[in-house]
Amino acid sequence: MLALKTPNANTASHAAISSPPSSYLESLLPHAESEDDLKVLKEHSTKLLSASESLEGWLASSYGELFQFVNKDTLKALRQYWIHYHTFDTAGKAAAELRKGLTKGSTQFRTSNVMTGLRSAGIAWPSAMKLVGHVFRRYWETGVADGSSEACKNLGRDGKGHVNPMFAVSSAPSGLFAVHYGTDPLLGFYLAETFRSLETGPKLTLAAQSDQLVMAAKQQFNQWCQAFMDAFDSRRVRIQLFFGEATTLCHELQLELAFGRQPAHPRAYSRPWCLQALRLDGYIGPPELRFTFFDYYDVVDTSNLGDHIGLINIITVTAPLLRPRSSSALCTESLLTVSNDATSALTAALGSDVATFSLLVGLAPSGLISDTTLEGVPNEAMFQKLTAEPSHDRQQRQYRLRVLWESIHSSSRVRVEADQLAAWFLAVYNKMFAHEDMSTLLSRMDRMQNTHYSTDMPRYTRAAIVALIRLVRTRVFSDWDRVMDKFMELVENDRSLLTGGNSLQELNVQLALYGVWTLPVLAEGPRQIQNRFTLPLRERSSSDGILGLADPPPIVYVVISIPRKSLKVLTDSDIDTMGTPGIHLSIKQQLGMTQYENCFYSFHCCFGRFRHGDHAGGPPVFDEDDEGWSGTADMLIACAVPAFGLLMGLRGGLTVSLVLNTSPANLMLFGKKLGMTLTVFETAFVDERRVLICQDPPGLDTKSSTADQKHWLKGLSSDHDAGQAALGTFSADRKIVKLQIRTVFANGSDEANALAGGASVAADPIDLSTIRLKVGNTPDRRISFPFPVQSYNSKTRVARKSSWVEIEAAIHLAPHKDPFDSWTHVSCMSDQSPVLVHIPRVNLDIQPIMKSITAKDRTWLTIMTIVGAMSVGEKQAQEQGRTSPANPKSDLKQSLSVMFSSFMGYHPQASGPVRIFQLTHHKVAHAFIFVRNLRHDLDLGSMVLDAYVTPLTHARLKTLAEACVQLYTAESKAPLGIHLGDEECILWKRLLPALAERCRTWEHQDHCAYVKIGQIPLSTEADENPLCSCGEGKVPPDFAKHDKMWAPFGKYVTRIAIAPIFPVPYVENLADHTEDLPQAGCDSCNKTPKELKSCAACGKARYCSRECQKAAWKVHKLVCKK
């Protein structure tokens, strides 16, 4: 697994192999520490410093088996933090800055009601709204999570206490306190059951509730630490650390995995603001075992890094790192909204139709196919409503969207017509750089008065579109020379981006550096092809340095030194107001009466000084200032540019400048100081003190690196068998709407002879991606499409004389009806255990049991099973009275609602809590489901029934006849019937194997029926068991503790995890079911007095008293229709 996280050195890894004292573990996100804690930290840092003097020494230490490093520079960088911890002065500047930061945060949040901690409450969020805000404010007011007097004393706001060095030292420019303003001590924990118990237990003060909540989080942290130690002791975990820029690492890993060796020529620096070249030199051992250190990944988790650098950047760097199999996945998460509608979120983030983008890059969002999720999306929908209230800052609205991108691993690839593909690239290009479209500036500024989208902040350079083209080229067959020629023609002629023409040179440079495509004038030195330029190149001159050579390189690097005093306009500004303004380099050339400008956004910055080489073309010398922003040296910026642009016209007519990107915010903040051009610094190219031109940045070899890039691309872009690829057809709005696969049979083959003889041709769907092709009596052929299609509605064309069969099918997209119920799919492979495709696994035994179900639980029960379960389309179908076959999934949701509410004792069909359910079809029992517990599903923010199922066949009913009679005759404990329609019955049979696999803790046997028959489920027919027998009878000793009548069934049951299912938010909107909230009694206390008064605003909610109405308003206001 590869995990890419937002940089934050405040949580820099500090190894602690030997168990630290419990008091240290219980310091939950503490800004303060006791003297004992500081002593422990110093003792550990002493051990770490001793072990980290060299990589060899580290690997030989007790830490080396658990923590390893991608490169030596990471160990060096982390060692600096350990030095800080070891030598930390609790009365020094760093400690003072921490206290200052806390005071600032305390002032900022004193009157705020920040409720991001609701995400730790899961389904219990209605009980947590007031409490999480209190915990957040107390954390920032006191500097410690529990707010106890002892902890506050340890911090010592008066400067006499002990601050936590791990919070006081950071990777910020100052190196001091830089804890994010949104840091919430509860977010890393699952506290749903704690919130429930506080709501239903004895009444406590807000402070006392906060103490219990923090104590629960501390206990959970202790449990996590113990689990981690157990995993390490059993050698089940190994961690490789990298300190640097994530996307750069991914690009290097791509080459490493392709070549099986470290790239010979470093192409980039490991991180911003330094000159340390990235080398993957963390492996020490035999070369033939290097693959065990660097390997492809089954899972890549990027947290919400896409909010900061853009989703397209995330996909292009991680997709090539995934292991080439269908179970590999990329996990992305976003918190910032990209549109006013969640269903358009991915389209807005990708700048493209999601299905088309997915098909071309080989990764598809799981929900795009399944249209079903088990994640508690109603919680986030309610949270968004809450933060959208006028009392909140609408510019900072959040919507947490987690997307699992599944690898599209198919034997078939896609082929696209060149001009269509070029037009699609242009459409994505224009979306990526929409901020350069001045025609929409006023409308964007007007909208930004009310709300901001994450796409308002530019996140892409021209290197990003190049990386996307590079990735697509590894997946798609096309005439790529034609694609690139056409794409560049479209970009050059497109006028929608007013300033886009200024970045054409950068686009061409990046295409060449990545080895994707090379403009003819960049394929050779400019003087070798000077006759191709419309303007003549100036004569050679020794004053031109490397450009004065007889054969200068086609791409050179311009290094500009920015004086410190010119940066004061930035360093003297308030960082909270300024934010992080984007910058670029502008190179201008005066040719006669015309001035040409080219802008470059891809460059590297550091601090230091340079000296020119000893001779023309000689390498320059760079002296880096390790103090960075805190030092005294000037800023150095190195940028790749085409040489020919620097050789046109007089050298004295060239200028280079550092410019802030044009944006409404930058103009407002810096317009008066810098002018409308927002120029921070400008100088002429003849200023040799400030400008240097060299072949490569210091320590890098870009020419050799480009050769590696071309080799990588060639290895993954083999164009053989392009005729067998699926032809993708674009619609007028640039969406691939259908795929065609033509199967050509060799002359004289059985199929060719059968076609010529008039044999029948049948194309039968197997699943959404596979069709069985049958020509006469010849053996079947499986036709695999590179993306899910409407295989159940395909068209077939037959050429009997030419001996080919072509199958055409439209792209399948949710919420189209899926006759295969693909969201329940469990893959069955003979060489490994069954694998869940769309449904996530859950460890039931560690999920907290919901105890003491009360009337107050009805609110979230209704939200999870009614209010948030249906999509807009499903609700409309329900209101129109459609019959069951129209949508068996809707019927399943209603059945699940009955099961959950009945188990909790709230369903009108049940006289009390129900533990046994009978799935019935046409008055015939198909299965018994025995529910032992209702548990939280912590990671998904939902709930799950811990249950056991026994499918009922005729033979099994005969065996269990006496036990069944006892169940039916026990009136208060008899099974509750869930009556199924035809299609819902089939859906349940497909679903049961997935529910069993979801919580499976046992191993499948060698003679497993799944493998023997080759399909899951075994059958969907009546009187046949869909489950294998491998999990039968694996029950705990107290299986029948609720009722001894369960005992005879224990031998035949299989454990399953039943959870509510929800619409996928980026596919369908959740329906508004507010009228379905509980109405039987008071909507606050659930009592049923003779008279209930309705809410005056909406007329739907009912209360028994004014006090109950006030108590319920926190939740009701989210859905009240005024």
Side-chain angles (χ1 to χ4, degrees):
M1 175 178 175
L2 174 66
L4 306 178
K5 302 297 182 182
T6 307
N8 183 355
N10 292 296
T11 54
S13 294
H14 54 287
I17 299 293
S18 57
S19 300
S22 60
S23 61
Y24 190 77
L25 291 180
E26 290 174 358
S27 300
L28 176 63
L29 282 185
H31 292 129
E33 289 191 337
S34 67
E35 290 188 12
D36 289 341
D37 291 335
L38 285 173
K39 183 179 178 181
V40 170
L41 182 61
K42 289 202 172 188
E43 289 175 353
H44 276 275
S45 60
T46 299
K47 296 177 183 178
L48 290 167
L49 289 174
S50 175
S52 61
E53 292 181 356
S54 68
L55 181 60
E56 291 79 3
W58 177 269
L59 294 176
S61 73
S62 58
Y63 302 100
E65 190 174 358
L66 175 61
F67 292 102
Q68 298 172 2
F69 301 98
V70 171
N71 59 347
K72 295 177 181 178
D73 182 55
T74 294
L75 177 59
K76 179 181 177 181
L78 291 182
R79 180 177 168 83
Q80 294 304 309
Y81 287 98
W82 299 333
I83 291 174
H84 286 308
Y85 300 158
H86 185 71
T87 60
F88 185 74
D89 181 4
T90 59
K93 180 180 179 181
E97 284 296 317
L98 187 148
R99 295 186 177 96
K100 180 181 176 182
L102 288 175
T103 300
K104 183 178 180 180
S106 174
T107 303
Q108 179 180 355
F109 299 120
R110 182 170 293 132
T111 59
S112 301
N113 192 25
V114 178
M115 289 184 287
T116 53
L118 282 178
R119 294 191 176 99
S120 68
I123 59 176
W125 67 266
S127 306
M129 287 189 293
K130 188 175 181 180
L131 184 54
V132 295
H134 175 77
V135 172
F136 182 89
R137 287 191 301 273
R138 189 174 72 169
Y139 175 66
W140 280 95
E141 288 170 2
T142 64
V144 288
D146 59 14
S148 66
S149 58
E150 181 181 356
C152 292
K153 181 181 178 181
N154 286 335
L155 176 61
R157 283 294 183 89
D158 56 1
K160 297 180 181 179
H162 305 290
V163 304
N164 188 342
M166 292 183 287
F167 280 81
V169 179
S170 78
S171 60
S174 65
L176 304 177
F177 178 83
V179 176
H180 190 273
Y181 61 85
T183 299
D184 190 321
L186 299 182
L187 277 178
F189 300 93
Y190 300 110
L191 303 170
E193 187 58 20
T194 304
F195 281 111
R196 279 192 66 251
S197 63
L198 289 173
E199 175 76 8
T200 58
K203 295 298 180 182
L204 300 173
T205 65
L206 207 56
Q209 290 184 65
S210 299
D211 291 342
Q212 289 202 13
L213 193 64
V214 172
M215 181 58 66
K218 289 179 178 180
Q219 293 173 351
Q220 196 171 111
F221 183 65
N222 268 301
Q223 292 167 358
W224 183 90
C225 290
Q226 187 57 55
F228 182 84
M229 293 301 302
D230 293 343
F232 170 68
D233 291 340
S234 60
R235 303 300 185 263
R236 289 184 286 114
V237 61
R238 185 187 71 179
I239 298 174
Q240 291 177 325
L241 300 175
F242 173 71
F243 181 79
E245 210 284 314
T247 59
T248 303
L249 170 65
C250 290
H251 278 298
E252 291 303 301
L253 286 175
Q254 290 174 17
L255 300 180
E256 162 77 36
L257 296 176
F259 302 150
R261 57 172 174 77
Q262 179 183 172
H265 312 287
R267 58 171 294 275
Y269 298 109
S270 62
R271 56 187 180 274
W273 309 109
C274 82
L275 292 179
Q276 178 64 50
L278 174 56
R279 298 179 182 274
L280 306 183
D281 53 7
Y283 172 73
I284 297 178
E288 62 271 14
L289 296 180
R290 186 177 176 87
F291 73 94
T292 64
F293 193 82
F294 295 108
D295 198 1
Y296 288 97
Y297 298 93
D298 298 305
V299 178
V300 176
D301 179 12
T302 63
S303 185
N304 71 319
L305 195 59
D307 283 339
H308 302 273
I309 67 173
L311 182 57
I312 294 177
N313 278 332
I314 291 291
I315 291 174
T316 56
V317 300
T318 58
L321 302 180
L322 289 170
R323 198 177 305 280
R325 61 187 184 195
S326 57
S327 59
S328 300
L330 165 67
C331 305
T332 65
E333 185 173 332
S334 62
L335 291 175
L336 305 180
T337 55
V338 294
S339 68
N340 62 354
D341 185 353
T343 60
S344 60
L346 289 185
T347 299
L350 299 173
S352 165
D353 166 62
V354 182
T356 301
F357 191 98
S358 301
L359 173 60
L360 297 178
V361 304
L363 288 174
S366 174
L368 189 69
I369 313 303
S370 66
D371 191 28
T372 301
T373 180
L374 273 63
E375 186 167 359
V377 293
N379 302 333
E380 194 64 30
M382 292 295 184
F383 179 75
Q384 189 185 40
K385 284 185 178 182
L386 186 65
T387 55
E389 290 184 349
S391 59
H392 290 76
D393 182 2
R394 297 193 67 193
Q395 296 188 2
Q396 299 298 320
R397 279 195 304 166
Q398 291 187 355
Y399 184 86
R400 187 189 187 202
L401 185 64
R402 298 204 297 183
V403 182
L404 181 72
W405 300 78
E406 297 175 344
S407 179
I408 305 174
H409 183 61
S410 170
S411 58
S412 175
R413 293 168 69 183
V414 65
R415 176 166 51 93
V416 180
E417 195 274 329
D419 286 8
Q420 291 183 340
L421 186 55
W424 180 80
F425 278 131
L426 177 69
V428 177
Y429 178 88
N430 285 339
K431 291 289 187 180
M432 293 173 71
F433 304 106
H435 56 277
E436 298 176 7
D437 185 353
M438 295 297 107
S439 67
T440 63
L441 179 61
L442 291 179
S443 62
R444 281 187 283 125
M445 291 179 65
D446 182 61
R447 189 254 304 153
M448 289 166 65
Q449 295 297 317
N450 297 315
T451 184
H452 283 188
Y453 296 147
S454 63
T455 48
D456 292 331
M457 178 68 71
R459 284 171 168 78
Y460 299 113
T461 68
R462 265 56 187 184
I465 185 67
V466 172
L468 175 61
I469 295 172
R470 175 178 179 263
L471 175 61
V472 173
R473 188 163 181 174
T474 66
R475 291 271 313 164
V476 176
F477 293 123
S478 191
D479 180 351
W480 277 97
D481 287 336
R482 172 65 182 174
V483 171
M484 296 310 304
D485 287 338
K486 186 64 177 178
F487 171 65
M488 294 306 299
E489 176 189 334
L490 292 172
V491 171
E492 292 172 10
N493 294 328
D494 185 74
R495 294 293 178 265
S496 60
L497 305 183
L498 183 62
T499 61
N502 295 345
S503 295
L504 282 175
Q505 283 196 11
E506 179 175 50
L507 177 59
N508 281 302
V509 166
Q510 294 301 321
L511 284 167
L513 291 177
Y514 275 91
V516 174
W517 182 78
T518 305
L519 189 71
V521 296
L522 294 181
E524 302 179 59
R527 296 200 181 278
Q528 306 302 316
I529 52 175
Q530 55 185 323
N531 60 323
R532 300 186 187 181
F533 299 110
T534 56
L535 296 173
L537 304 183
R538 62 175 176 270
E539 296 296 325
R540 288 179 57 194
S541 170
S542 59
S543 61
D544 268 336
I546 191 173
L547 295 176
L549 298 176
D551 185 21
I555 296 175
V556 296
Y557 281 78
V558 172
V559 181
I560 178 175
S561 176
I562 313 295
R564 279 272 177 173
K565 62 181 181 181
S566 297
L567 300 175
K568 288 180 67 65
V569 68
L570 301 175
T571 56
D572 290 351
S573 299
D574 178 62
I575 191 170
D576 292 330
T577 303
M578 176 181 65
T580 309
I583 58 176
H584 67 273
L585 285 188
S586 169
I587 297 179
K588 298 176 183 176
Q589 174 66 285
Q590 191 72 38
L591 297 175
M593 299 298 293
T594 305
Q595 186 182 67
Y596 296 90
E597 180 182 18
N598 287 285
C599 299
F600 299 86
Y601 297 79
S602 299
F603 47 78
H604 187 77
C605 300
C606 69
F607 288 91
R609 299 169 180 82
F610 66 75
R611 289 175 283 131
H612 291 269
D614 297 332
H615 55 85
V621 179
F622 289 81
D623 298 316
E624 183 180 0
D625 184 351
D626 293 332
E627 297 297 320
W629 283 95
S630 301
T632 59
D634 295 338
M635 178 187 289
L636 300 180
I637 300 180
C639 180
V641 303
F644 69 79
L646 305 180
L647 288 172
M648 292 182 178
L650 298 175
R651 184 166 175 250
L654 279 168
T655 62
V656 58
S657 53
L658 175 65
V659 182
L660 297 184
N661 296 347
T662 301
S663 70
N666 284 346
L667 286 170
M668 181 177 65
L669 292 173
F670 301 105
K672 289 184 179 181
K673 297 179 181 179
L674 302 178
M676 293 301 292
T677 61
L678 297 178
T679 301
V680 176
F681 174 75
E682 183 175 77
T683 189
F685 266 73
V686 295
D687 183 0
E688 295 187 357
R689 296 177 304 113
R690 294 292 174 189
V691 180
L692 169 70
I693 301 174
C694 53
Q695 180 169 333
D696 286 305
L700 304 185
D701 185 345
T702 55
K703 182 178 180 180
S704 300
S705 174
T706 297
D708 286 342
Q709 295 282 354
K710 290 181 178 179
H711 182 52
W712 178 87
L713 191 58
K714 182 178 180 181
L716 295 181
S717 305
S718 55
D719 290 335
H720 64 279
D721 293 334
Q724 296 300 313
L727 175 64
T729 303
F730 278 88
S731 62
D733 55 353
R734 298 185 184 87
K735 298 178 182 179
I736 295 182
V737 293
K738 61 183 177 181
L739 295 174
Q740 302 169 350
I741 292 183
R742 177 177 294 184
T743 303
V744 181
F745 303 107
N747 290 333
S749 64
D750 292 343
E751 291 90 349
N753 293 335
L755 286 176
S760 61
V761 176
D764 300 320
I766 297 176
D767 54 41
L768 288 180
S769 298
T770 314
I771 291 178
R772 181 184 294 108
L773 176 61
K774 180 78 169 178
V775 179
N777 294 321
T778 63
D780 296 349
R781 289 197 180 211
R782 288 199 169 201
I783 307 299
S784 297
F785 285 82
F787 196 81
V789 295
Q790 296 178 26
S791 57
Y792 48 87
N793 194 26
S794 64
K795 297 178 181 178
T796 304
R797 299 183 183 90
V798 179
R800 297 186 181 277
K801 292 184 179 181
S802 301
S803 301
W804 56 258
V805 175
E806 183 177 87
I807 300 176
E808 175 183 294
I811 295 290
H812 173 88
L813 295 176
H816 288 160
K817 182 181 178 181
D818 176 6
F820 305 103
D821 297 315
S822 300
W823 67 276
T824 67
H825 182 55
V826 181
S827 67
C828 179
M829 292 174 279
S830 59
D831 60 337
Q832 63 184 61
S833 295
V835 177
L836 285 165
V837 177
H838 297 294
I839 294 179
R841 286 182 55 84
V842 61
N843 186 342
L844 286 177
D845 294 327
I846 65 173
Q847 307 303 315
I849 296 173
M850 295 190 202
K851 301 176 181 178
S852 304
I853 304 298
T854 69
K856 293 183 178 180
D857 292 311
R858 290 192 66 194
T859 299
W860 57 257
L861 171 67
T862 305
I863 290 172
M864 298 300 287
T865 61
I866 300 178
V867 175
M870 293 288 181
S871 68
V872 170
E874 288 172 327
K875 183 183 179 184
Q876 290 174 346
Q878 193 178 64
E879 291 174 344
Q880 294 168 8
R882 294 183 188 171
T883 57
S884 176
N887 192 342
K889 194 189 298 181
S890 295
D891 295 336
L892 172 66
K893 291 179 179 180
Q894 294 182 47
S895 297
L896 292 174
S897 178
V898 170
M899 294 179 71
F900 277 93
S901 59
S902 299
F903 179 80
M904 296 175 69
Y906 296 138
H907 197 274
Q909 295 182 21
S911 58
V914 176
R915 289 188 174 273
I916 309 175
F917 299 90
Q918 175 182 298
L919 301 184
T920 304
H921 178 234
H922 293 325
K923 299 182 180 181
V924 176
H926 280 246
F928 285 143
I929 295 177
F930 302 85
V931 181
R932 283 174 53 84
N933 295 299
L934 174 63
R935 296 178 182 267
H936 291 277
D937 193 333
L938 295 177
D939 182 58
L940 299 183
S942 185
M943 56 186 176
V944 59
L945 292 175
D946 184 354
Y948 290 81
V949 63
T950 176
L952 299 175
T953 62
H954 179 74
R956 181 161 293 178
L957 279 172
K958 187 176 180 179
T959 302
L960 294 169
E962 183 178 346
C964 290
V965 170
Q966 291 182 2
L967 284 183
Y968 291 132
T969 55
E971 294 184 3
S972 61
K973 300 178 181 180
L976 178 65
I978 306 291
H979 301 285
L980 313 178
D982 293 344
E983 291 200 19
E984 188 189 356
C985 184
I986 294 175
L987 176 53
W988 269 101
K989 288 196 174 243
R990 288 172 171 166
L991 180 59
L992 286 177
L995 300 184
E997 287 298 318
R998 188 175 181 230
C999 60
R1000 176 170 61 85
T1001 56
W1002 39 266
E1003 296 295 329
H1004 282 275
Q1005 301 171 6
D1006 293 338
H1007 58 274
C1008 176
Y1010 289 157
V1011 176
K1012 182 178 180 180
I1013 297 179
Q1015 68 179 31
I1016 304 175
L1018 297 178
S1019 174
T1020 59
E1021 298 295 324
D1023 198 39
E1024 293 188 14
N1025 192 339
L1027 295 169
C1028 71
S1029 61
C1030 302
E1032 288 185 355
K1034 293 177 171 55
V1035 298
D1038 63 345
F1039 170 71
K1041 73 174 183 179
H1042 298 291
D1043 194 325
K1044 63 181 181 180
M1045 289 188 295
W1046 290 22
F1049 296 90
K1051 182 180 178 180
Y1052 305 100
V1053 296
T1054 300
R1055 195 180 192 183
I1056 57 175
I1058 304 175
I1061 60 175
F1062 309 101
V1064 177
Y1066 54 83
V1067 174
E1068 291 185 280
N1069 283 315
L1070 273 66
D1072 183 2
H1073 277 275
T1074 54
E1075 69 274 14
D1076 293 322
L1077 287 171
Q1079 299 295 319
C1082 172
D1083 283 317
S1084 178
C1085 69
N1086 202 44
K1087 293 180 181 179
T1088 54
K1090 293 182 179 180
E1091 182 180 3
L1092 291 172
K1093 294 183 179 181
S1094 299
C1095 171
C1098 67
K1100 294 179 179 177
R1102 299 188 299 169
Y1103 306 100
C1104 63
S1105 66
R1106 179 83 174 163
E1107 289 71 23
C1108 277
Q1109 184 180 23
K1110 287 183 178 180
W1113 177 243
K1114 289 285 186 180
V1115 174
H1116 180 57
K1117 66 181 178 181
L1118 303 179
V1119 295
C1120 182
K1121 296 181 177 179
K1122 296 184 180 180

